[in-house]
């Protein structure tokens, strides 16, 4: 066993996994897994820069994570940064801050690398069973981008496109700094058109429709699963490897886009940081399912974070 730590810093959240990894058996035993909403990508689509308050929220989470990593005595640490910090003009400020706090430089990875990690994390457990037909389409709906990966035991094709729950919300549902509550049909239609154009782009290099199992990752998908199960609180065990039908995803998405902030916030499994962006994230998922004709999505709590952990194990 090797004790490793992995940090995934995305557009909306930063997450930590400390685990014991055994490459010989493919077993990854969690010691600590947590997530903090920091909204690092706040305003990046509009300004091209990381906001000072977003950087401070992220650095505060890094300081907390540094204590946890030290407490568990992790031998190796890898910090991966995704879409928001890849796009920002002032990403050097972000890199310096992380290096000072955690002692490692964040790797601002490409979309293709992001997709590889997501696929490994999501499918390593599934590969042992025969109940889910291959090839898999792994879809990681993040805050700023969505990764599409098709593969069997290994990745065959991957593509990252700039549709994510934060980016779509800020681009289509925010006016004068306020989220539409609920948005007009015109705004929803514009967002849907943007998503469809991005799917066209993804399909140029990834054979989305060849997939026989759709595996969905990240907070938008797991929250849809929690709502579908009517969970009294967020429950990772109940969500991991749950299956949500197309009809249920459509019902939930339509409700999320019609609901008010207060109604969404009242959902017991809803993280406060997702209340304003979950409608856009759910619409991305629904659009993907419609594009490929998927009757259900298999939801995974294991994703890019687990892939990062395996990469250092």
């Amino acid at each position: 066993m090797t004790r490793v730590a992995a940090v995934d810093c995305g557009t909306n959240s930063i997450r930590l996994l400390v685990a014991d990894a055994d490459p010989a058996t493919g077993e990854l035993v969690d010691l600590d897994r947590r997530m903090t909403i920091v909204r690092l990508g706040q305003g990046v689509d509009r300004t091209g820069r990381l906001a000072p308050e977003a950087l401070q929220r992220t650095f505060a989470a890094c300081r907390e994570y540094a204590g946890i990593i030290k407490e568990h005595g992790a031998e190796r640490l890898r910090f991966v940064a995704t879409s928001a910090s890849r796009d920002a003009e002032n990403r050097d400020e972000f890199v310096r801050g992380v290096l000072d706090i955690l002692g490692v430089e964040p790797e601002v990875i490409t979309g293709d690398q992001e997709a590889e990690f997501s696929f490994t994390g999501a499918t390593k457990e599934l590969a042992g069973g025969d109940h889910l037909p291959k090839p898999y389409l792994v879809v990681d709906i993040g805050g700023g981008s969505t990764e599409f990966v098709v593969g069997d035991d290994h990745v065959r094709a991957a593509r990252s496109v700039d549709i994510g729950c934060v980016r779509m919300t800020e681009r289509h549902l925010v006016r004068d700094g306020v989220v539409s509550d609920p948005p007009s049909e015109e705004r929803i239609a514009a967002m849907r058109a943007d998503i469809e154009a991005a799917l066209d782009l993804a399909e140029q290099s990834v054979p989305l429709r060849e997939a026989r199992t759709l595996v969905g990752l990240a907070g938008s998908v797991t929250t849809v699963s929690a709502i579908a199960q009517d969970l009294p609180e967020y429950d990772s065990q109940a969500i991991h490897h749950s299956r949500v039908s197309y009809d249920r995803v459509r019902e939930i998405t339509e409700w999320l886009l019609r609901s008010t902030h207060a109604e969404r916030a009242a959902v017991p499994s809803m993280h406060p940081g997702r209340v304003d962006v979950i409608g856009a994230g759910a619409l991305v998922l629904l659009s993907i399912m419609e594009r490929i004709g998927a009757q259900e999505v298999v939801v995974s709590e294991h994703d890019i974070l687990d892939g990062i952990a395996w990469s250092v194990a």
Side-chain angles (χ1 to χ4, degrees):
M1 286 281 192
T2 303
R3 184 157 295 183
V4 297
V7 177
D8 167 36
C9 186
T11 305
N12 196 43
S13 63
I14 183 169
R15 299 181 304 144
L16 169 70
L17 172 62
V18 181
D20 285 331
D22 187 346
T25 63
E27 186 179 16
L28 195 68
V29 180
D30 288 14
L31 299 173
D32 200 307
R33 186 188 291 261
R34 61 184 66 201
M35 182 268 289
T36 309
I37 300 282
V38 293
R39 199 66 64 85
L40 179 62
Q42 172 193 331
V44 165
D45 198 46
R46 178 175 51 83
T47 67
R49 296 180 64 82
L50 298 169
E53 60 271 29
L55 284 169
Q56 290 310 310
R57 290 193 298 266
T58 304
F59 295 155
C62 286
R63 283 188 282 272
E64 178 192 352
Y65 290 179
I68 295 162
I69 292 165
K70 184 177 180 181
E71 179 186 332
H72 284 293
E75 300 166 45
R76 303 176 191 169
L77 165 64
R78 189 170 190 178
F79 187 116
V80 165
T82 52
S83 181
S85 53
R86 190 167 60 230
D87 301 338
E89 293 172 10
N90 60 334
R91 65 184 187 183
D92 287 350
E93 188 179 344
F94 166 69
V95 170
R96 285 195 304 272
V98 172
L99 185 57
D100 287 346
I101 296 165
L102 286 168
V104 296
E105 189 168 310
E107 299 174 55
V108 184
I109 61 173
T110 66
D112 285 345
Q113 288 174 303
E114 201 172 333
E116 289 273 358
F117 286 142
S118 293
F119 187 81
T120 300
T123 63
K124 203 165 181 74
E125 292 173 308
L126 299 178
D130 298 321
H131 59 295
L132 292 173
K134 300 174 184 177
Y136 307 121
L137 169 59
V138 174
V139 174
D140 188 342
I141 303 172
S145 62
T146 293
E147 283 65 55
F148 298 86
V149 196
V150 166
D152 298 283
D153 299 322
H154 301 284
V155 172
R156 282 170 38 191
R159 183 74 179 261
S160 177
V161 294
D162 285 341
I163 48 170
C165 60
V166 174
R167 194 185 296 268
M168 291 296 97
T169 299
E170 291 190 347
R171 187 177 293 174
H172 296 287
L173 306 184
V174 174
R175 290 297 180 274
D176 300 321
V178 178
V179 177
S180 304
D181 200 21
S184 66
E185 290 299 324
E186 290 77 15
R187 290 187 186 182
I188 294 171
M191 180 164 62
R192 166 77 87 151
D194 220 359
I195 294 168
E196 293 296 336
L199 292 178
D200 291 341
L201 200 59
E203 214 163 7
Q204 289 177 10
S205 49
V206 180
L208 304 181
R209 299 172 211 244
E210 289 183 14
R212 297 186 62 203
T213 297
L214 173 65
V215 183
L217 317 183
S220 293
V221 181
T222 58
T223 300
V224 166
S225 173
I227 296 170
Q229 297 181 65
D230 199 22
L231 296 178
E233 60 184 8
Y234 193 92
D235 182 345
S236 294
Q237 287 191 321
I239 291 166
H240 189 47
H241 289 173
S242 61
R243 301 186 187 193
V244 187
S245 70
Y246 164 76
D247 287 341
R248 195 75 180 100
V249 171
R250 181 173 47 78
E251 288 170 9
I252 290 167
T253 302
E254 289 174 354
W255 178 79
L256 289 168
L257 291 171
R258 286 195 315 267
S259 62
T260 64
H261 177 98
E263 288 170 334
R264 295 189 300 277
V267 174
S269 57
M270 181 80 67
H271 190 288
R274 295 207 184 277
V275 174
D276 286 333
V277 299
I278 183 61
L283 185 60
V284 172
L285 173 62
L286 178 66
S287 302
I288 293 166
M289 295 182 77
E290 290 177 348
R291 175 64 65 104
I292 69 171
Q295 293 305 301
E296 68 174 13
V297 57
V298 178
V299 182
S300 179
E301 283 275 11
H302 292 182
D303 50 26
I304 186 172
L305 194 58
D306 301 75
I308 296 164
W310 279 116
S311 75
V312 291

